[in-house]
Amino acid sequence: MFGDMMGMMNKIKETQKKVEETKERLNTVLLDEQSSDGLLKVTITANREIKSINIADELLEDKEQLEDYLILTLNKAVKKATEVNEAELAAVAKEGMPDIPGMNDMLK
């Protein structure tokens, strides 16, 4: 039993390391989002760090319209990045879970 416990602890440590590596890798995963008409474009990492914003000149003429575009497009970009982030981290965590009898039944 003690050997099984040590094996599980090692597997958990390995998984923690893989999760940290995945978080680092997600800093390099770039996602693009744009407004429906393409006047505003945003690039964001899967860790939800905004890398660039490209604004069409015509949006600079109307402050309220630009603010609306920014809110909508940034929210879409953050949502997309969050989905990628969570899916990647969940896959790594699930892959590294120790085989504990009955655990799979509890996770369903």
Side-chain angles (χ1 to χ4, degrees), residues 34-101:
Q34 66 180 8
S35 59
S36 58
D37 56 11
L39 296 178
L40 180 73
K41 296 177 183 174
V42 174
T43 300
I44 188 170
T45 70
N47 279 332
R48 298 172 295 269
E49 181 180 331
I50 297 169
K51 290 297 190 177
S52 71
I53 297 176
N54 185 308
I55 303 169
D57 290 340
E58 63 192 81
L59 284 179
L60 298 176
E61 299 167 8
D62 185 342
K63 181 180 182 284
E64 284 185 29
Q65 183 182 20
L66 175 57
E67 289 170 347
D68 290 343
Y69 270 65
L70 284 167
I71 290 168
L72 291 171
T73 307
L74 287 170
N75 280 335
K76 284 189 337 187
V78 169
K79 183 176 189 253
K80 183 189 289 186
T82 299
E83 290 169 356
V84 169
N85 183 289
E86 289 175 355
E88 290 286 326
L89 291 176
V92 170
K94 184 176 181 182
E95 174 187 309
M97 287 294 291
D99 189 21
I100 301 171

Side-chain angles (χ1 to χ4, degrees), residues 15-31:
T15 300
Q16 287 174 329
K17 182 179 178 196
K18 286 181 182 178
V19 166
E20 289 306 313
E21 290 170 352
T22 300
K23 286 180 182 179
E24 286 295 316
R25 184 180 58 77
L26 290 175
N27 282 327
T28 65
V29 174
L30 299 178
L31 304 165

Side-chain angles (χ1 to χ4, degrees), residues 90 93-95 97-108:
K94 184 176 181 182
E95 174 187 309
M97 287 294 291
D99 189 21
I100 301 171
M103 182 63 92
N104 286 337
D105 295 333
M106 290 175 45
L107 296 175
K108 291 181 182 176

